[in-house]
């Protein structure tokens, strides 16, 4: 089993920044890919970014490219999401997720991920 705990959410004004953290524990050796997802009220959960654990491969949703950066400190079993130039439409609950295989082109597919955190709220005001 793998446990994921997100932190770093909060309320900011448009144009501001936040950094989310996701700490993994348990059988972390089984994880090959970590992803960040978000879900706004009344909307489907959508993929934001993903990263290969222990490597450098990253992928992003078009809506966040150039503004968000996913990174990791895998010896510490932690993945980050640096969010800059935040917009009101970025308001959502943000979740991290772990997959036991590399996500590749399927990374936005929620079914690829076996483990999920409880989420951290991000609210961006105009």
């Amino acid at each position: 089993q793998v446990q994921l705990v997100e932190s770093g959410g909060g309320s900011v004004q448009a144009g501001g920044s936040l950094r989310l953290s996701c700490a993994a524990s348990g059988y972390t050796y089984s994880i090959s890919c970590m992803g960040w997802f978000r879900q706004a009220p009344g909307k489907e959960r959508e993929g934001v970014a993903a990263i290969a654990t222990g490597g450098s491969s990253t992928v992003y949703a078009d809506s966040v490219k150039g503004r968000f950066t996913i990174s990791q400190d895998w010896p510490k079993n932690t993945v980050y999401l640096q969010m800059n130039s935040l917009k009101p439409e970025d308001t959502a609950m943000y979740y991290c997720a772990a997959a036991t295989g590399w996500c590749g082109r399927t990374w936005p597919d929620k079914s690829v991920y076996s483990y999920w955190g409880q989420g951290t709220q991000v609210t961006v005001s105009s």
Side-chain angles (χ1 to χ4, degrees):
Q1 291 292 326
V2 173
Q3 294 78 43
L4 303 174
V5 178
E6 303 97 334
S7 61
S11 297
V12 295
Q13 290 191 325
S17 298
L18 283 173
R19 189 175 83 153
L20 307 183
S21 299
C22 175
S25 61
Y27 294 136
T28 56
Y29 62 85
S30 67
I31 301 172
S32 295
C33 171
M34 293 288 291
W36 283 99
F37 286 73
R38 65 186 181 187
Q39 187 168 19
K43 293 189 176 182
E44 291 288 319
R45 191 172 297 190
E46 62 175 0
V48 175
I51 187 167
T53 57
S56 59
S57 296
T58 58
V59 287
Y60 296 91
D62 288 343
S63 59
V64 305
K65 280 181 182 176
R67 300 189 299 122
F68 290 12
T69 302
I70 188 170
S71 63
Q72 63 181 323
D73 184 352
W74 202 241
K76 295 184 179 180
N77 296 327
T78 303
V79 174
Y80 306 97
L81 186 68
Q82 177 67 44
M83 305 185 295
N84 299 328
S85 302
L86 282 161
K87 304 175 181 180
E89 51 263 44
D90 294 318
T91 295
M93 185 72 79
Y94 283 71
Y95 300 88
C96 70
T100 56
W102 169 231
C103 312
R105 282 179 286 185
T106 61
W107 75 271
D109 184 349
K110 297 184 293 293
S111 67
V112 168
Y113 301 84
S114 302
Y115 305 101
W116 292 83
Q118 294 299 305
T120 185
Q121 178 67 38
V122 171
T123 302
V124 185
S125 58
S126 57

